[in-house]
Amino acid sequence: MTQLLFKHINVEGLANIDVYEKHGGYETLKKALEQKPEEILETVKASGLRGRGGAGFPTGLKWSFLAKDVFPRYLVCNADESEPGTCKDRELLLKNPHLLIEGMILCAYACRVEIGYNYIRGEFYDLCEIFEKALEEAYERGYLGKNILRSEFNLDIHTHLGAGAYICGEESALLNSLEGMRGEPRLKPPFPAVEGLYGKPTVVNNVETLCAVVPVVEGGAEAYAALGTEKSKGTKLVSVSGHVRNPGNFEVVLGTPTSEIIEMAGGMREGRKLKAFIPGGSSVPMLPAGKVDTPYDYESLQAAGSMLGSGALIVMDDSANVVKETLRIASFYMHESCGKCTPCREGTRWLHQILGEIESGRGKDENIELLQDISDNMSFKCFCPLGDAAIAPVLSGIANFREDYEELLSQAKAGAAAE
Amino acid sequence: MFAFSETSEKEIEKQLVKYPPERKKSAILALLRIAQQQNGYVSAEAMEEIGRRLDLSPAYVESVCSFYTMYYTRPVGKYVIMFCINVSCHLLDCDNLLEHTAKKLNIQVGETTADKMFTLLREECLAECSRAPVMRINNDYHVNLTPQKIDQILDSLK
Amino acid sequence: MPKKTQTETVTLTIDGKTVTVPKGTVAVDAAKTVGIDIPVFCYHEKLGPFGCCRMCLVEVEKMPKLATACTQAVGQDMVIKTDSPKAVKGRQGVLEFTLLNHPLDCPVCDKGGECPLQDNTFEHGPDLTRTEFTRYNRDKAVPLSPVVTIDRERCIACQRCTRYSDIVEQETALVMVNRGFQNRVQTFQDRPYDTRFSGNVVDICPVGALTNTTYRFKSRIWDLDNAETLCAHCGVNCNIVVGVRSNEFMRVQAKSGENSQANDAVDDGWICDKGRFGYGFVESSNRVLKCRNGKGDTLEANDALGQAATQLKKITDEHGPQSVGFIGSPYGTNEELYLYQKLFRQQLGTNNIDFKTYRQTPGLPVEHYDVGDIETSDMVLLIASDPTEEAPVLDLRIKKSVSFFDVKLAVLNDQKTDMDKPAASSLRYNVGSEAEVLSALIEALNDKPVRGLEKTAGIAPKQIKDLAATIQGSGKVCVIYNPAALTGSASDRILELLQTIGGLPDKQCGAIPVAPGTNAVGALDMGAHPNFYPGGLALSDSEKIKTLWGDEAPLQPGLSALEMIQKAASGELKGLVVFRANPVVDFPGGPTVAEALKKLDYLVVHDMLETETTQLANLVLASNGPGYDDGTTTNIGGRVQFRKRSLVREDHPPDWVLISRMIRALDPEAPSYKNSFGVTDEISQKVPGYEAINKNAIKGMGMPRKGSACSEVQGNGAPAAEKSENGALRLRVANYLFAHDKILDASSPLSHHFKSSTVYLNAEDAKALGIETGDEVKVVSGDAEVSAEAEVSDRCNPGAALVPRVSDEQGLMALVGDPDAAVWVQIKK
Ligand SMILES: Cc1cc2nc3c(=O)[nH]c(=O)nc-3n(C[C@H](O)[C@H](O)[C@H](O)COP(=O)(O)O)c2cc1C
Ligand code: SF4
Ligand code: FES
């Protein structure tokens, strides 16, 4: 099993810089500083590393979009980890904060950034403390600050705690939040690489992405690109949750069949059968058991009708009712819609209202079509992708598990007839 | 009247240096958090004070404060229990656990116990999904919850 | 925010029509140019793209998703379809969402009939809603302030109002709180939304969520006659739309993109709350409706004006032309003031004509800048001016220029004002030292050493040098100053400064004098000055004067307004006409002015409201004034616009008719005019600079008149500011927008803004005097005293007592004597 990010994850005290260094920590940085920034950028480009935060955008390409010759530039690490089902960044931050710091330094060096922020979701107060301690250690050893390892390169990294808002995981909302505003998303373009934090060119990357930069630079682009499929290179942390025996975070080579990942998590519970799975967090369509052999990579999951998203594999066995879970997710999106745009603000609430009716046995047959049409009216019409995320479970649930809806609807009819 | 304590002032100083001086607005989330740490919640007076510190209108501060769920604008209990109810926890029966907790504390979700010890809140995904069910009490996570474990934790806090 | 100068254009197709627009234009605006109306809610031209309501969805070829036309910048060869099935369904869906929780109370909603939501629903909406749930309940009709009401259930969360509060008025007083469907428009802790510009949110709210409390349920809009006219409160001359029903004012709106086209050269589509809610004087119970004599007998207008004319003539026949005079008003129209000066110069033979108590001569040594020039300047130098209180919409324009067009703002003032916040640099000099400060700045600009000013002016030479360097480094400099706030020789120094800046290499320089009143610029242009004929013709320019006004034209210098009061006191002045002014309260001296006026043989007061001065008159002529009379005014930027009447009085002639009849009473040959434009046409012939001004030329946006060059800039150097004696403080009278006077009387809906008398003291002086904030004190000068509450603040430097004029009752002008001399006051507990 290839382990790049999780290689030493269970080493006792890894969060301590001594332990981290003992396991080869900051060696990559030392070597990298002997190269030119452009060379690091090229390596990351050539490795095929894609963003692990959800959208899967090629990381090196994103870095190369930074507006030329505009300084200061910023690096922002997205540690908002807010996509339901996702808990991998938490494990990285908890156990291996120095890996992230090293990754951030490499990114900053490649992108000629001198100030970085780690935007940590407010609930991760404990991790913020761990990360700040790690920062202190890194400053002490000269990995951060002025003239890092006696080079010309300077970098300061600060933490910034969020305060409870899913939408702040979306990069432009995150930047607003970091600037001290409401976490409403911004108009794009301009993209952060051109006008990001404080209007300056900014790289925003997920925790896992930045961590992955370390093995990419360490082993070289070719070695990294040798892993995975044609368009999905390297390894991915998958958070497996729900109805499996041993839920947890697993590092898998992209392209591993989803069923194997479920097996890694101990497989289904005693006497239970797989019913549905959400491969990439609550924002992506759910798939039926029949698709469980789909290779876990960006293009295969897309071909199967879903997305890899943030790598949160939520497993449901035959005890689950899709309508009930969809209602739960719908309630989440209603709660988390920032309220800025009309279709998302109103649509998430309306979907929730209708799903609630169906779930509680008061639904009507027309409701299914209405749910679909409301979803269509939201689809790609909202200000940011949250609206599209909100309709994914609804549409995929109806498409793949219509029987769960129909059962509740026929109960409703029976109830009405009995009255 | 609201005034930041000495400890808070030190903490504020640490926060302000993170941002360019002309961008001190960035520190608003931190100042709200510090005010809350100090008094348990963010009062209107605290918002006004934060506005003065950062050259922002008090309305602006309230606007930002009200966007985020982790700021309380009314007093809460000594321990705030954030009970995750999102899908991964939901699949593992968090609804019943939440009800169990509410019963044990003898309050409804959203309320604070009469002795001001506990406030029980529903919370969206806390990002510990593979160790669901999960709750967070103040800054600490508690995972793989069972009714017994919840009882134990709550008893230890009394 | 559209950039100020974009010359590059792109060509594209919208619904098959070819469109060429400047690069960067958003699709909504591009479509408008070819008559295609893309529906919008959140988009507002002056607020910039935001994209939250999603109403404006259109299809753009080669783009996978529908685009919001309000945020989509058009590109070369783009093909946009507003009517494709995909776009139509998209918009229908959005409207359904918008209406989901919107109450269907259109029949009782004030916005009914002019509501974008109604209109868009009619044109693009679904037929019925498919929701079966009860609408989300929100607050109905909650007062946001005494003049603005919010119906939260009608709000569609477009954030126009909150963005306005943030980026236009820059108060961030109105904000969104909460998130998701629970978000709502709110002030801090529901305190009143009482900024100076709060009413604009009523105009821009695309639904009936924000309404004008004074207009709620007063009228349906289809019963209103809407007249485009001008506000008559200050020198900006904002464009307004007055809604009238049955000859009664119903409401005032800004002339904006919502109802017409905003006048970007003047107000940019915004007005202040005084303009919107302060029109009560038009129908005030305090109005002078009929002419009357000193005994109180009512007179027919024609009899009264005839008596006035003959009586004045009789006085000049007996005592010579110097025995009569005219004190006009910066609130009169060009036509009114022109006719009055004509009456006094031509029929009565005197130059005793004035309208002000400060020193100012017509003309500038540099260009007279239009308000719009502020945006295109590199630097604005604001001197002794407090636009927020004196010309509010100017405050908005300056803030906009700083925020969006990177204009550098430098403030030179003796008091702290709201303009310090947007300013890049702000110098506070000691009260009364402006002449010295300006001289120093002139020296610095001439690269001469700057002498020490710390003691006398409270400013370090380095600060002056830095300011000079900024001016030298800016290409286009706009100087805005308040001539009425300059003391001593500063009125000369300011001209010298302008001349100096204008003379710097590679410099464009212009000025905007912002004096009190609606038409101070016009009044000077119309020759309401004892030493200047209309058009800034100095008396020494006798040849030109004779050509224009005949050989009889008086060339002897006249008396200034204050000199007329003095001569009235000494008995040398026998007859006086006071036109829409209240010297008893507003002139230096206060009660002593009343004593002087009482000595006159014949006092005619021509006014629309009863004042302390009308009480002394031998003859009161009723004036129609704004609302009832047509006329032109010239704003602070030198732009001439038409102030159309919106109400009609059948029983009394317009003021311009009344005055022209006075002229005809003395000279039957004199012209009579068909309408006010008849007078305007005469002005265009008789007033240099107004040649091009006529009815058609000033339609819509108005037109700048040509400013006159100033004759000569006087002398150099300035005396050091006078020294205080025995601990006295130098009085600075400041302005307050919502002063409780004859215009904003007790019945005004703005009365919540009224303030009590306050004296601002610097901490240093307060300490020495043993005074604390909240103390009741007396401000004493000689025999006169004014009560006030003390407030210790840094509003002015040590050595001064600053008192804003907050009401007529305050009696503040009693403290002031000769306006050119320093006023020293004692503060007593
Ligand atoms: C509603 C929404 C929530 C998101 N939440 C997260 C998140 O919690 N963490 C994250 O890294 N990216 C999140 N993203 C993706 C970010 O916008 C962004 O694409 C990402 O941080 C880029 O980093 P990457 O290229 O390394 O993946 C979210 C996106 C959306 C639309
Ligand atoms: S009150 Fe009116 S302007 Fe303000 S957000 Fe609501 S609909 Fe928009
Ligand atoms: S008008 Fe375009 S999104 Fe609102």
Side-chain angles (χ1 to χ4, degrees), chain A residues 164-165 182 335-343 345-346 349-350 353 364 373 376-377 380-383, chain C residues 50-54 65 71 89 93 96-98 101 130-133 156-157 176 178-181 183:
Chain A
R182 290 161 66 84
H335 184 259
E336 297 300 334
S337 166
C338 79
K340 178 170 176 167
C341 80
T342 311
R345 180 184 66 242
E346 302 294 332
R349 183 159 182 269
W350 198 8
Q353 284 174 322
K364 297 192 190 121
D373 196 53
D376 181 55
N377 284 344
F380 295 118
K381 294 174 192 77
C382 298
F383 189 91
Chain C
F50 193 62
C52 80
C53 75
R54 320 304 286 173
K65 299 195 262 183
T71 63
K89 164 140 200 305
E96 186 179 31
F97 287 133
T98 310
N101 287 295
R130 295 178 289 176
T131 184
E132 297 178 344
F133 302 99
I156 59 167
M176 294 307 277
N178 303 339
R179 71 176 190 219
F181 70 90
N183 68 0

Side-chain angles (χ1 to χ4, degrees), chain A residues 145-379:
Chain A
K146 292 255 168 300
N147 303 107
I148 292 171
L149 300 175
R150 282 174 298 281
S151 69
E152 300 280 279
F153 171 51
N154 311 319
L155 175 66
D156 284 309
I157 296 180
H158 305 288
T159 55
H160 182 100
L161 264 178
Y166 166 66
I167 187 61
C168 289
E170 192 282 327
E171 56 186 8
S172 68
L174 180 149
L175 293 176
N176 273 352
S177 182
L178 184 44
E179 288 190 18
M181 301 186 232
R182 290 161 66 84
E184 290 173 1
R186 298 180 180 176
L187 266 180
K188 288 185 208 170
F191 289 93
V194 178
E195 273 179 45
L197 185 63
Y198 308 134
K200 298 291 180 205
T202 303
V203 183
V204 183
N205 272 129
N206 170 257
V207 172
E208 185 188 343
T209 314
L210 289 165
C211 287
V213 171
V214 181
V216 164
V217 175
E218 185 187 5
E222 259 172 61
Y224 194 81
L227 300 169
T229 69
E230 194 198 333
K231 286 185 180 151
S232 304
K233 302 296 189 191
T235 63
K236 174 81 189 84
L237 300 185
V238 183
S239 306
V240 187
S241 68
H243 294 151
V244 290
R245 244 182 293 225
N246 300 315
N249 288 312
F250 302 93
E251 183 168 14
V252 303
V253 173
L254 284 162
T256 306
T258 310
S259 48
E260 262 179 48
I261 304 175
I262 295 181
E263 282 315 311
M264 288 180 199
M268 304 310 291
R269 300 184 299 183
E270 198 62 49
R272 289 289 175 191
K273 274 202 335 246
L274 177 67
K275 174 172 184 172
F277 65 102
I278 306 180
S282 70
S283 300
V284 309
M286 53 178 95
L287 296 174
K291 299 213 170 170
V292 72
D293 289 326
T294 309
Y296 200 87
D297 60 60
Y298 295 99
E299 58 275 26
S300 305
L301 285 167
Q302 188 157 10
S306 187
M307 281 184 285
L308 185 140
S310 58
L313 178 56
I314 304 169
V315 180
M316 299 180 214
D317 65 23
D318 50 4
S319 70
N321 178 302
V322 164
V323 179
K324 286 188 201 299
E325 298 315 319
T326 306
L327 173 64
R328 187 72 271 302
I329 299 174
S331 150
F332 166 74
Y333 285 110
M334 174 179 75
H335 184 259
E336 297 300 334
S337 166
C338 79
K340 178 170 176 167
C341 80
T342 311
C344 175
R345 180 184 66 242
E346 302 294 332
T348 51
R349 183 159 182 269
W350 198 8
L351 290 176
H352 180 256
Q353 284 174 322
I354 298 168
L355 284 164
E357 290 289 292
I358 299 176
E359 196 256 0
S360 57
R362 288 193 300 268
K364 297 192 190 121
D365 287 348
E366 320 75 279
N367 285 166
I368 291 192
E369 218 176 289
L370 185 55
L371 285 173
Q372 286 170 321
D373 196 53
I374 293 170
S375 299
D376 181 55
N377 284 344
M378 291 169 71
S379 172

